[in-house]
């Protein structure tokens, strides 16, 4: 096969004239391309291939993964890259049968995986062509195929070598279609049927009967009962089973686990008490509010916790949203397994006494989530930091009774910390100074922390050079000096949120323009920033993909023009309440990767300008608009945009100038 590929590559290459790169062998060039095949250098491969004709043709044969921005680019892509094995069409909302026919005829010998999770307009005819011709397909994602029926499922059954299949939200596929897949795709190892609402016990039993090699099975929100559970648990290789939202399965249904499925590693369900005698390889248990059947909170008692004593390989326990009893905490503390991760996010009943007792028994803990555990105080943090010195992640948003002194302990004792969420807490500059000792820190969230200032941020900038994500949402004392310290000391920064900070000005954005890896910037509600600062970001941060400038009233068309010229990777933007007009919006149409726009309350926007801009943005998949525009836009235009794959979200939201800082605490209370 390699010899055939080289011959095909030579056929593509022109006669090379002398050039300085001829001294490099093909093997050396391929090594360079391997290095450039990295998300950190999204445009490097293109630049490299344009260096000379030799590099151009070698790169065409080297590339195996393609993610086109539009289905319209596929014809050129098919000719340019003959050896593609992984095709991601998640940015192509319009993929019809003719496109699938073209793909299957060109890459029939090389294609191994295809992602159609965001694509529409193809039918069972196109799928049949794809699966019949591309016999080497092992992975297919057809999630969100809400119009796919059992005819599509019968086409999928032609993929005899398929190993991984995702059909989430394919709501028209029934047991009959799943039966076809079960018979035809015997090699399946992963199957996701989440939200396939017409698939019941029969379809699941057929999968269990015919696909013996299944290792991962997601049956979330299916109308199944305990009738099919026993068949599923006969699968000898099953490691990951998700039953979230399966309302008809209770503890009696899960009792079949007692004698079955010894290889099971992951279970997600509210019914737990019957797990005692089965699933000896269980590694992760999720008993969270996401899988609650009724409005009654799941209760973690000593009886429930004792069910876990036989699982010696258990590493992760997530009890988010549960009611934790004191006896339940003590029973969890007595587990013999080496627990690495515990999550008590939004749990009621977590106290200083219980949490302190628990962490003393699990000193190898690496990740702990105590978000909105409002009863814990200094004692808990003292015990956590004293017992779990190897902690890498601590999430403690809205632990409002923890005093500022406790944060000094975190930095002094947990030097391995990589993530800290201290949102809505009493942390101050002394606490930040201590935490800055954690040199491996990469994620730091300090939103709604009114006690921190530029002084504390200066320490973070000086000692946390590996920081990639920083959240300073509504931390009102922060100004340009603090942002400058972070920008100077954290060159790897990829995401920063400085929304609703009145002291932030263009100087902050000019400082952040030095962060060449910046991908997400949120500056909504910062009245001190203008188009000058945004222009600096556009020129310096060419990797920017997400931008939120909502309520930045001083940003106008002058800020859009540099974005259009330099921010070619921008995918998502929120322009609401800005001073942008038709001119600025039309300018953004040159951004080929732009997919998601929120455009509410732009005073200078007209229906004609809006229509022109949206027509020119060919990659759009989602647009939020004020409902007042709906009757002003022609129905033919809206239908055309929807046929092109763009979904409109209409909002009838009254004009809002600002949100009072006094609302911070009430907003957080609602969140918890």
């Amino acid at each position: 096969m390699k010899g055939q590929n080289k011959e095909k590559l030579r056929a593509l290459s022109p006669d090379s004239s002398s050039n300085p790169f001829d001294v490099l062998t093909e093997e050396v060039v391929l090594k360079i391309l391997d290095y450039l095949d990295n998300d950190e250098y999204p445009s490097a491969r293109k630049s490299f291939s344009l260096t000379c004709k030799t590099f151009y043709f070698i790169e065409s044969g080297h590339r195996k993964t393609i993610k086109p921005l539009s289905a319209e680019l596929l014809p050129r892509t098919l000719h340019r890259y003959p050896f593609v094995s992984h095709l991601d069409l998640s940015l192509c909302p319009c993929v019809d049968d003719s496109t699938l026919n073209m793909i299957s005829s060109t890459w029939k010998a090389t294609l191994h995986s295809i992602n159609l999770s965001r694509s529409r307009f193809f039918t069972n005819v196109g799928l049949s062509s794809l699966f019949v011709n591309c016999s080497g397909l092992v992975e297919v994602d057809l999630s969100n195929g809400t119009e796919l029926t059992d005819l599509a499922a019968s086409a999928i059954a032609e993929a005899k070598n398929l190993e991984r299949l995702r059909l989430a939200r394919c709501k028209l596929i029934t047991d009959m279609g799943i039966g076809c897949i079960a018979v035809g795709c015997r090699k399946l190892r992963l199957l996701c049927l989440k939200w396939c609402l017409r698939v019941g016990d029969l379809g699941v039993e057929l999968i269990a009967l015919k696909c013996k090699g299944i290792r991962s099975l997601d049956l979330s929100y299916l109308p199944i009962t305990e009738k099919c559970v026993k068949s599923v648990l006969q699968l000898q290789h099953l490691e990951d089973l998700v039953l979230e939202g399966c309302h008809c399965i209770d503890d009696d249904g899960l009792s079949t686990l007692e004698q079955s499925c010894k290889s099971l590693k992951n279970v997600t369900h509210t019914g737990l008490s019957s797990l005692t005698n089965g699933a000896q390889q269980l590694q992760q248990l999720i008993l969270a509010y996401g899988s609650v059947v009724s409005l009654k909170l799941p209760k973690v008692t000593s009886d429930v916790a004792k069910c876990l004593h036989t699982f010696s390989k258990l590493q992760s326990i997530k009890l988010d949203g549960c009611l934790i009893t004191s006896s339940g905490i003590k029973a969890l503390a007595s587990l013999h397994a080496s627990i690495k991760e515990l999550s008590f996010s939004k749990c009621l009943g977590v106290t200083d006494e219980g949490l302190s007792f628990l962490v003393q028994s699990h000193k190898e803990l690496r990740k702990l989530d105590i978000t909105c555990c409002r009863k814990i105080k200094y004692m808990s943090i003292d015990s956590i930091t004293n017992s779990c010195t190897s902690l890498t992640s601590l999430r403690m948003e809205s632990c409002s009774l923890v005093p500022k002194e406790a944060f000094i302990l975190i930095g002094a004792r947990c030097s391995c910390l990589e993530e800290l969420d201290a949102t809505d807490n009493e942390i101050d500059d002394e606490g930040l100074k201590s935490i800055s000792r954690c040199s491996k820190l990469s994620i730091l969230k300090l939103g709604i922390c009114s006690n921190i200032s530029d002084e504390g941020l200066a320490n973070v900038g000086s000692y946390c050079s590996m920081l990639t994500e920083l959240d300073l949402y509504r931390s009102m004392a922060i100004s340009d000096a603090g942002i400058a310290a972070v920008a100077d000391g954290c060159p790897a920064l990829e995401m920063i949120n400085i929304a609703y900070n009145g002291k932030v000005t263009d100087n902050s954005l000019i400082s952040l323009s030095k962060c060449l890896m910046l991908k997400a910037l949120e500056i909504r509600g910062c009245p001190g920033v203008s188009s000058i600062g945004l222009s600096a970001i556009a020129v310096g941060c060419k990797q920017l993909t997400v931008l939120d400038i909502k309520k930045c009233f001083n940003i106008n068309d002058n800020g859009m023009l540099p974005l259009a010229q330099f921010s070619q990777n921008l995918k998502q933007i929120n322009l609401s309440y800005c001073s942008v007009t038709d001119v600025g919006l039309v300018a953004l149409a040159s951004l080929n990767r732009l997919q998601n726009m929120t455009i509410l309350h732009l005073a200078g926007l007209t229906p004609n300008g809006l229509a022109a801009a949206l027509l020119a943005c060919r990659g759009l998949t989602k647009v939020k608009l004020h409902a007042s525009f709906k009757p002003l836009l022609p129905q033919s235009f809206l239908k055309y945009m929807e046929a092109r794959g763009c979904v409109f979200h209409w909002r009838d939201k009254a004009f809002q100038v600002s949100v009072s800082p006094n609302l911070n605490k009430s907003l957080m209370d609602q969140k918890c």
Side-chain angles (χ1 to χ4, degrees):
M1 178 62 73
K2 289 184 178 179
Q4 293 177 355
N5 287 351
K6 283 188 175 181
E7 289 180 8
K8 192 171 183 179
L9 190 57
R10 290 194 193 100
L12 289 170
S13 304
D15 294 333
S16 60
S17 57
S18 60
N19 70 71
F21 299 109
D22 282 343
V23 296
L24 298 178
T25 65
E26 183 176 322
E27 286 71 23
V28 171
V29 176
L30 292 175
K31 285 289 185 182
I32 296 173
L33 287 169
D34 287 338
Y35 177 77
L36 295 178
D37 198 6
N38 191 312
D39 289 339
E40 294 184 8
Y41 312 106
S43 60
R45 287 182 62 109
K46 181 178 180 181
S47 299
F48 180 84
S49 68
L50 295 177
T51 303
C52 64
K53 290 183 178 180
T54 301
F55 286 7
Y56 182 86
F57 286 101
I58 292 178
E59 193 271 339
S60 71
H62 177 271
R63 189 184 288 267
K64 301 296 187 293
T65 300
I66 295 290
K67 188 176 182 179
L69 299 175
S70 168
E72 296 173 355
L73 300 175
L74 271 174
R76 280 187 291 169
T77 303
L78 292 166
H79 175 73
R80 170 91 167 87
Y81 301 108
F83 306 127
V84 169
S85 57
H86 304 283
L87 179 60
D88 186 347
L89 296 176
S90 58
L91 301 181
C92 304
C94 298
V95 176
D96 56 20
D97 289 341
S98 62
T99 302
L100 293 183
N101 290 335
M102 186 168 51
I103 291 169
S104 63
S105 62
T106 303
W107 291 321
K108 59 184 177 183
T110 61
L111 196 62
H112 291 160
S113 73
I114 186 169
N115 185 345
L116 293 163
S117 61
R118 299 293 177 184
S119 305
R120 299 161 56 196
F121 306 114
F122 58 85
T123 69
N124 60 290
V125 176
L127 288 176
S128 180
S129 172
L130 180 68
F131 293 123
V132 169
N133 290 324
C134 301
S135 58
L137 272 172
V138 295
E139 181 172 9
V140 175
D141 191 343
L142 292 169
S143 300
N144 305 305
T146 54
E147 298 179 3
L148 297 180
T149 65
D150 287 341
L151 289 175
S154 64
I156 297 170
E158 299 290 339
K160 306 299 182 184
N161 293 308
L162 200 60
E163 296 181 4
R164 296 178 293 278
L165 176 62
R166 292 175 175 85
L167 296 172
R169 289 172 291 280
C170 292
K171 299 181 180 181
L172 297 182
I173 293 179
T174 70
D175 290 334
M176 182 178 296
I178 297 300
C180 292
I181 292 172
V183 172
C185 306
R186 302 289 185 98
K187 296 182 180 181
L188 276 178
R189 292 170 177 257
L190 179 149
L191 179 62
C192 177
L193 297 174
K194 184 176 183 178
W195 287 110
C196 292
L197 301 179
R198 298 193 181 188
V199 177
D201 289 332
L202 177 60
V204 175
E205 286 179 327
L206 288 171
I207 289 292
L209 178 65
K210 299 294 184 181
C211 303
K212 298 294 186 182
I214 288 281
R215 283 170 167 73
S216 177
L217 186 60
D218 190 341
L219 305 175
S220 301
Y221 300 98
L222 265 60
I224 55 176
T225 69
E226 62 275 6
K227 181 181 177 183
C228 70
V229 173
K230 187 173 183 179
S231 298
V232 169
L233 298 176
Q234 294 298 322
L235 293 167
Q236 295 300 309
H237 303 287
L238 188 62
E239 297 177 353
D240 189 348
L241 174 62
V242 185
L243 297 170
E244 182 177 337
C246 296
H247 297 177
C248 299
I249 301 179
D250 54 18
D251 287 346
D252 293 335
L254 284 184
S255 65
T256 54
L257 279 170
E258 294 183 4
Q259 304 298 329
S260 308
C261 206
K262 305 299 182 183
S263 64
L264 192 63
K265 294 182 180 178
N266 299 281
V267 176
T268 307
H269 195 275
T270 55
L272 178 64
S273 62
S274 302
L275 292 175
T276 306
N277 297 319
Q280 301 301 321
Q281 303 300 314
L282 189 70
Q283 294 179 3
Q284 182 182 52
L285 172 71
I286 304 175
L287 176 63
Y289 53 81
S291 52
V292 177
V293 174
S294 65
L295 294 177
K296 184 178 180 181
L297 288 176
K299 184 182 293 187
V300 178
T301 63
S302 59
D303 291 335
V304 172
K306 286 176 182 177
C307 295
L308 306 177
H309 277 231
T310 58
F311 304 132
S312 60
K313 296 187 178 182
L314 190 62
Q315 296 182 12
S316 174
I317 301 176
K318 297 184 179 182
L319 304 172
D320 301 347
C322 294
L323 174 60
I324 312 291
T325 65
S326 57
S327 61
I329 284 277
K330 291 179 180 179
L332 289 173
S334 64
L335 293 178
H336 300 300
S338 178
I339 304 299
K340 299 292 194 301
E341 180 178 12
L342 282 172
S343 184
F344 297 120
S345 176
K346 303 180 184 179
C347 287
L348 300 179
V350 178
T351 63
D352 277 342
E353 293 75 14
L355 191 56
S356 298
F357 183 73
L358 178 62
V359 296
Q360 288 172 19
S361 301
H362 296 293
K363 296 186 176 182
E364 296 183 10
L365 204 62
R366 298 291 187 273
K367 297 181 179 181
L368 178 63
D369 190 340
I370 48 175
T371 298
C372 293
C373 291
R374 294 184 173 276
K375 292 183 179 181
I376 68 170
K377 303 176 184 176
Y378 181 92
M379 177 182 175
S380 288
I381 304 303
D382 185 22
S383 297
I384 291 167
T385 56
N386 191 47
S387 300
C388 308
T389 56
S390 297
L391 208 63
T392 60
S393 174
L394 177 59
R395 299 178 181 178
M396 50 180 296
E397 176 182 342
S398 297
C399 294
S400 52
L401 295 182
V402 174
K404 59 185 180 181
E405 293 79 10
F407 291 93
I408 297 176
L409 302 179
I410 296 174
R413 298 173 179 174
C414 300
S415 60
C416 297
L417 203 64
E418 298 174 9
E419 176 184 11
L420 175 64
D421 186 350
T423 303
D424 190 26
N425 272 284
E426 296 300 316
I427 185 172
D428 63 2
D429 288 338
E430 285 300 313
L432 270 186
K433 182 179 180 181
S434 178
I435 287 166
S436 66
R437 300 179 191 177
C438 305
S439 59
K440 296 181 181 179
L441 199 66
S442 61
I443 299 175
L444 181 58
K445 298 185 178 182
L446 300 169
I448 319 181
C449 292
S450 57
N451 296 328
I452 64 171
S453 70
D454 294 337
E455 182 182 346
L457 271 190
N459 286 289
V460 173
S462 296
Y463 302 107
C464 301
S465 60
M466 298 175 66
L467 199 68
T468 61
E469 182 176 338
L470 179 61
D471 188 347
L472 296 169
Y473 172 84
R474 288 188 186 274
S475 294
M476 302 292 192
I478 300 300
S479 72
D480 294 335
I483 303 300
V486 170
D488 289 337
C490 307
L493 196 67
E494 295 182 4
M495 177 273 174
I496 186 168
N497 183 346
I498 48 177
Y500 296 108
N501 286 313
K503 295 182 178 181
V504 168
T505 72
D506 284 335
N507 290 329
S508 287
L509 301 191
I510 292 171
S511 297
L512 288 171
S513 67
K514 304 171 188 175
C515 300
L516 305 184
M517 304 304 296
L518 194 66
K519 296 179 181 177
L521 175 63
E522 183 163 342
I523 52 174
R524 67 164 61 186
C526 293
V529 301
S530 71
S531 297
I532 296 174
L534 185 60
S535 298
I537 290 290
V539 173
C541 306
K542 293 184 173 62
Q543 304 305 319
L544 196 68
T545 59
V546 178
L547 177 63
D548 190 339
I549 52 175
K550 178 180 179 180
K551 295 187 179 180
C552 292
F553 307 112
N554 292 319
I555 291 181
N556 54 30
D557 294 340
N558 293 331
M560 299 302 101
L561 299 177
L563 279 180
Q565 183 177 357
F566 298 105
S567 300
Q568 292 301 312
N569 290 303
L570 196 64
K571 296 180 180 179
Q572 178 178 323
I573 188 169
N574 188 340
L575 296 167
S576 301
Y577 297 90
C578 292
S579 300
V580 176
T581 70
D582 295 345
V583 175
L585 198 62
V586 171
L588 293 180
S590 64
L591 299 175
N592 293 328
R593 290 178 170 84
L594 194 60
Q595 301 172 345
N596 189 327
M597 298 180 73
T598 300
I599 316 169
L600 299 174
H601 298 293
L602 294 187
L605 189 63
T606 67
N608 289 339
L610 175 61
L614 296 183
L615 280 173
C617 294
R618 303 196 63 82
L620 283 178
T621 59
K622 181 179 178 181
V623 178
K624 287 185 181 180
L625 289 169
H626 196 271
S628 60
F629 272 105
K630 192 171 184 179
L632 303 178
L633 296 171
Q635 285 299 309
S636 57
F637 163 77
L638 296 176
K639 289 181 179 179
Y640 172 78
M641 291 296 297
E642 290 171 354
R644 211 168 68 178
C646 182
V647 177
F648 288 99
H649 294 260
W650 302 100
R651 297 288 185 267
D652 190 10
K653 192 173 183 179
F655 185 89
Q656 295 179 340
V657 175
S658 63
V659 179
S660 171
N662 295 327
L663 293 178
N664 290 346
K665 293 294 182 181
S666 61
L667 289 172
M668 295 307 298
D669 289 342
Q670 293 176 16
K671 184 176 181 180
C672 295

